[in-house]
Amino acid sequence: MSNKVIAIVVDGMRYDKACESLGFIQHLVETNQAALYKVKSELPSLSRPLYEVLLTGTSVSMNGITSNQTVRLSTEKSLFHLTKENGLKNATASYYWVSELYNRAPFHFIEDREQEDESKPIQYGRFYWDDDYPDSHVLMDAEALRRKYDPHFLYIHPMGVDVKGEKYGSESKEYREQILKMGSLLAQLLPIWMKEGYHILITSDHGMSEYGNHGGTTDGERDVPLFVISPRVETGIHEEVVPQLAFAPIVCELLGIERTGKMTSYRLPGMKEMVYGG
């Protein structure tokens, strides 16, 4: 069984709108090819703190990344550090804040746009800084990295849904359209990745309020989806709400590496034991 993982974090995509709009992915759920969970995000429901939560499995009071204005390298071990330490390759196509958390802060817009250095936590990276950089380009940047470097862990982070949500609100035509576009883009890539045997996770950092903001405690701001396509996970809709702190240890399990001591020991409902041997 493969130990390669692709994780897509669609920034600002709330649970209910994802369930309504990601038609092909919901088809996979309906036909028992994918699992769906609801995740309750950590607080504050803001991007930079939650990138750190997703990638290190630590809470903001532990890691100190408490706001979007906390511009410094993380002091925690991320999934990038762990894959590198375990002799696995990693890559990402992400917003530049991810680079600032794990490779260098502040971000150098010329030198850090494209990164290829296996000695760094993020070994292969393509980073953007315009919030409206097209989601299609982010996904193709990631697919180019996958085809060139064949990473064990590929982290993909498009921003378009968040941009439309903040501008128009979660109940707007524009916000729903952007999630529909993301669904269409993923529908082109998921069959390729599934055929090649990747474990695939699709989630978000935070949701979005009807007023076009986030950072607070409402369900709209905190509830996000987690779709999992993997032979290790039972398909269908799971009722138990998953804590966001469980994301990093779930990825570790699918990669076949040990989680850090700071990560939760939470076990995803429907996760099957690894079977060894032929």
Side-chain angles (χ1 to χ4, degrees):
M1 186 181 293
S2 167
N3 69 331
K4 292 183 179 179
V5 173
I6 295 176
I8 305 104
V9 174
V10 181
D11 205 293
M13 183 172 68
R14 55 187 273 171
Y15 176 83
D16 54 355
K17 304 306 179 188
C19 291
E20 293 171 9
S21 304
L22 295 177
F24 176 69
I25 298 171
Q26 287 286 36
H27 160 73
L28 296 177
V29 175
E30 285 188 358
T31 55
N32 292 314
Q33 298 179 72
L36 168 62
Y37 302 84
K38 180 187 287 186
V39 171
K40 181 71 73 173
S41 84
E42 285 287 292
L43 292 172
S45 52
L46 294 168
S47 291
R48 196 187 298 253
L50 296 183
Y51 303 163
E52 174 80 340
V53 167
L54 287 163
L55 286 161
T56 69
T58 61
S59 67
V60 296
S61 56
M62 180 183 291
N63 62 49
I65 305 296
T66 58
S67 75
N68 285 341
Q69 288 70 44
T70 310
V71 182
R72 64 163 173 81
L73 283 174
S74 169
T75 56
E76 305 297 328
K77 275 193 179 181
S78 71
L79 291 168
F80 298 115
H81 294 83
L82 290 173
T83 47
K84 176 177 173 289
E85 288 177 7
N86 282 274
L88 306 179
K89 282 193 289 186
N90 67 61
T92 185
S94 293
Y95 194 59
Y96 74 102
W97 289 1
V98 174
S99 178
E100 286 185 327
L101 281 168
Y102 307 112
N103 271 13
R104 177 162 75 167
F107 186 83
H108 191 290
F109 292 94
I110 297 174
E111 295 178 7
D112 296 346
R113 161 77 171 128
E114 296 189 2
Q115 301 182 41
E116 298 174 7
D117 187 343
E118 290 197 359
S119 71
K120 290 185 176 179
I122 300 173
Q123 296 169 314
Y124 300 102
R126 298 291 182 269
F127 298 98
Y128 63 98
W129 53 88
D130 287 330
D131 290 8
D132 58 357
Y133 185 72
D135 289 347
S136 58
H137 291 33
V138 178
L139 287 167
M140 289 308 118
D141 287 344
E143 179 63 357
L145 286 168
R146 186 189 72 83
R147 294 187 180 205
K148 185 172 183 179
Y149 298 109
D150 191 26
H152 298 85
F153 176 55
L154 177 61
Y155 184 79
I156 308 173
H157 171 233
M159 184 73 79
V161 171
D162 183 71
V163 170
K164 291 297 173 68
E166 290 183 351
K167 188 171 183 180
Y168 300 106
S170 65
E171 304 310 304
S172 66
K173 174 177 180 284
E174 291 84 358
Y175 182 70
R176 188 172 189 273
E177 275 186 347
Q178 194 66 30
I179 300 175
L180 287 165
K181 286 181 184 178
M182 176 54 58
S184 178
L185 292 167
L186 289 172
Q188 298 169 59
L189 289 168
L190 288 173
I192 298 170
W193 299 339
M194 292 167 69
K195 187 176 181 180
E196 298 200 19
Y198 287 88
H199 305 284
I200 303 165
L201 300 92
I202 303 163
T203 189
S204 184
D205 49 350
H206 56 75
M208 187 68 59
S209 80
E210 59 268 36
Y211 306 110
N213 49 38
H214 53 90
T217 64
T218 67
D219 289 346
E221 293 167 272
R222 294 189 70 182
D223 289 351
V224 298
L226 172 61
F227 296 94
V228 184
I229 304 167
S230 167
R232 292 284 312 280
V233 177
E234 291 178 7
T235 59
I237 299 172
H238 296 261
E239 297 302 321
E240 182 176 335
V241 177
V242 176
Q244 197 170 42
L245 289 169
F247 181 81
I250 291 166
V251 173
C252 287
E253 178 145 3
L254 294 173
L255 287 168
I257 61 178
E258 290 291 323
R259 63 179 185 270
T260 69
K262 292 184 178 182
M263 290 182 186
T264 178
S265 59
Y266 177 91
R267 188 163 184 82
L268 185 71
M271 179 73 79
K272 303 171 187 175
E273 294 293 338
M274 176 69 84
V275 178
Y276 295 95

